[in-house]
Amino acid sequence: MFAPLSAYDIDPVTGFVPSADQPERLPPAFEAWELIAADLPPLIRSRRVRDSLRKLPLLDPLVLTDPAEQERALLILTMFAGAWVWGGTEPDLTIPAPVSVPLRALCAVMDRPPIVHYGGMALRNWKRVDKSLPLSADNVRSAINFLGGVDEEWFFLASMGVELEAAPMLPHLRQAVIAAQEGDDAALTAELEAIADAMEPVMAALARMREWCDPYVFFNRVRLYFTGWPEPGVIYEGVSAEPQVHVGGSAGQSALIQAIDAVVGVDHDGMVTGPYFKLMRRYMPGPHRRFVEDLQQVSRVRQRVEAGGEDLRAAYNRVLRQIDRFRAAHRRMAHDYVSVPSGKASGEKGTGGTDFTDFLDDARRETSRKYV
Ligand code: HEM
């Protein structure tokens, strides 16, 4: 049997996004953080953000016991780290103790990386606008911004919109694995058809990135602050004298596509893709990472399909085609948002640190070679 989705912190309606409104402020003891978080855009613009962060009092985030408050504190501190490193005319690779010490303490208990990552910037960085309406990308604003503006906000919120649209698919991923375990080919065929259908709104949500996030603004203004640490890495003052390298925020850290890959047996074993997809799991919230790992470990879907009849194979191939269509559309997006504004056909890196033209093409090839 496969554990229920609730065991993986997956909401029946909102999927990987938490359904409850996020706290809009930490308790009063953390007011100094909140004041800077609210003013990050003017502080970065005027190059005063490092002065403000350096002067922060050393606060202990471990007094926060509410998981949603811990998430907000982590989001604030990881964004402070990005603002510190990138918020001057040159990068500063030593994050001062008022940021680094509470950040490391929180990361240790939350099992998350000490840098802006998808689990914070896309899954937790929102505030519902009209509380009488449901959670949707059109009914939220982002909670914390670097420079702010509609392009940055929408980059976060459109990513969240993809996750919300994917929510109805997640029970089918689990059910497909169970149907394969039970050897019920009719049920497995139906679950695979449902997964393929559920990819349509996900692709529509991905395309919505283009509505309010302009490629040139994204490339020139937005992405810098969640880019990974440059070599030789960043020193977290008061934590460790050794510089650390962490990759930047990227939807490559989303559990969604990795979960679908895991169910249908798309394995990424390339020299770059193999280690990268594995590394990205370290950046996921623990329960979501375990969901992907458990699906991969127990899924017998592909074995069942290989031995199965025409309908089952057709349904399986349809899912693969949908993943491939998602990856193709996403590949075009990476081209339009990174290659075009950079003026470079190749060699430019993604915020997650890959030489992405080859990387994304390899990920596609590793999908399409799996047709049965
Ligand atoms: C402006 C929008 C986007 C751009 C420019 C972009 C760019 C990239 C790049 C360059 C990578 C390679 C890893 C890296 O170095 O960062 C990547 C990976 C990935 N991105 Fe995006 N991305 C965007 C939006 C999204 C959204 C909204 C999603 C869906 C939630 C998404 C899903 C993925 C996935 C699943 C991967 C891993 C590769 C794969 O599974 O094929 N991306 N993205």
Side-chain angles (χ1 to χ4, degrees):
M1 250 317 170
F2 199 88
L5 295 185
S6 56
Y8 299 102
D9 221 352
I10 294 174
D11 184 273
V13 177
T14 54
F16 291 119
V17 181
S19 57
D21 285 313
Q22 301 299 293
E24 295 186 9
R25 267 196 122 66
L26 293 174
F30 295 90
E31 195 56 16
W33 291 0
E34 290 289 355
L35 289 173
I36 296 184
D39 276 342
L40 270 185
L43 288 172
I44 293 176
R45 253 184 356 241
S46 61
R47 309 274 183 222
R48 285 185 292 125
V49 72
R50 286 181 184 150
D51 276 350
S52 303
L53 292 173
R54 195 185 285 118
K55 288 186 201 138
L56 276 173
L58 193 57
L59 302 177
D60 178 8
L62 300 187
V63 300
L64 298 168
T65 49
D66 172 11
E69 287 184 347
Q70 291 181 339
E71 288 284 351
R72 181 169 176 87
L74 183 66
L75 179 63
I76 289 176
L77 289 169
T78 51
M79 291 186 75
F80 284 176
W84 176 272
V85 169
W86 302 113
T89 46
E90 293 294 326
D92 184 325
L93 301 186
T94 303
I95 300 178
V99 177
S100 60
V101 170
L103 176 56
R104 288 303 297 199
L106 209 47
C107 289
V109 294
M110 294 175 74
D111 186 20
R112 302 268 278 281
I115 188 168
V116 175
H117 53 282
Y118 190 77
M121 72 180 193
L123 302 184
R124 297 277 178 171
N125 191 10
W126 53 269
K127 198 153 91 174
R128 209 148 46 112
V129 176
D130 183 339
K131 299 268 161 59
S132 69
L133 294 175
L135 183 58
S136 78
D138 292 313
N139 188 30
V140 278
R141 50 169 303 175
S142 49
I144 307 173
N145 294 297
F146 289 110
L147 281 177
V150 67
D151 304 271
E152 179 180 324
E153 266 209 283
W154 190 245
F155 176 76
F156 298 138
L157 301 178
S159 305
M160 173 198 179
V162 172
E163 301 291 340
L164 287 174
E165 291 298 333
M169 183 198 301
L170 305 182
H172 296 295
L173 295 177
R174 175 176 178 273
Q175 283 304 126
V177 166
I178 293 172
Q181 272 175 333
E182 292 174 349
D184 185 341
D185 283 357
L188 178 56
T189 306
E191 294 302 338
L192 290 172
E193 292 288 359
I195 294 168
D197 290 343
M199 283 297 287
E200 289 297 330
V202 171
M203 284 186 270
L206 180 71
R208 291 198 66 198
M209 181 64 75
R210 294 176 190 273
E211 283 181 20
W212 293 108
C213 182
D214 177 89
Y216 284 85
V217 179
F218 172 79
F219 184 80
N220 291 305
R221 292 260 164 89
V222 175
R223 68 180 214 139
L224 174 67
Y225 301 96
F226 50 87
T227 298
W229 300 153
E231 294 290 347
V234 159
I235 291 173
Y236 292 77
E237 198 181 77
V239 174
S240 155
E242 284 299 305
Q244 301 179 18
V245 176
H246 297 286
V247 306
S250 163
Q253 297 159 357
S254 161
L256 172 63
I257 302 296
Q258 288 219 36
I260 309 172
D261 279 346
V263 169
V264 296
V266 168
D267 37 1
H268 298 285
D269 52 5
M271 292 267 284
V272 179
T273 53
Y276 190 80
F277 277 98
K278 204 172 269 164
L279 178 68
M280 288 307 95
R281 293 185 186 175
R282 299 300 318 157
Y283 288 71
M284 295 174 188
H288 299 172
R289 177 197 316 147
R290 283 189 286 283
F291 182 58
V292 175
E293 288 170 348
D294 288 355
L295 286 173
Q296 186 174 31
Q297 202 184 345
V298 304
S299 178
R300 297 288 168 271
V301 168
R302 190 170 165 84
Q303 290 88 325
R304 204 66 223 166
V305 168
E306 280 171 335
E310 200 63 16
D311 288 352
L312 180 55
R313 293 162 87 89
Y316 178 85
N317 283 339
R318 227 189 114 213
V319 175
L320 283 190
R321 226 171 359 259
Q322 294 289 65
I323 309 174
D324 189 42
R325 282 182 61 215
F326 178 93
R327 288 206 154 105
H330 173 269
R331 175 71 180 80
R332 284 192 293 277
M333 192 174 269
H335 172 82
D336 295 347
Y337 279 75
V338 184
S339 306
V340 173
S342 73
K344 292 189 216 158
S346 64
E348 190 64 39
K349 296 213 172 193
T351 50
T354 67
D355 277 321
F356 71 91
T357 47
D358 290 346
F359 171 79
L360 294 176
D361 289 342
D362 287 349
R364 264 195 86 187
R365 262 193 298 278
E366 287 158 359
T367 311
S368 52
R369 71 181 178 187
K370 287 292 182 176
Y371 287 110
V372 289

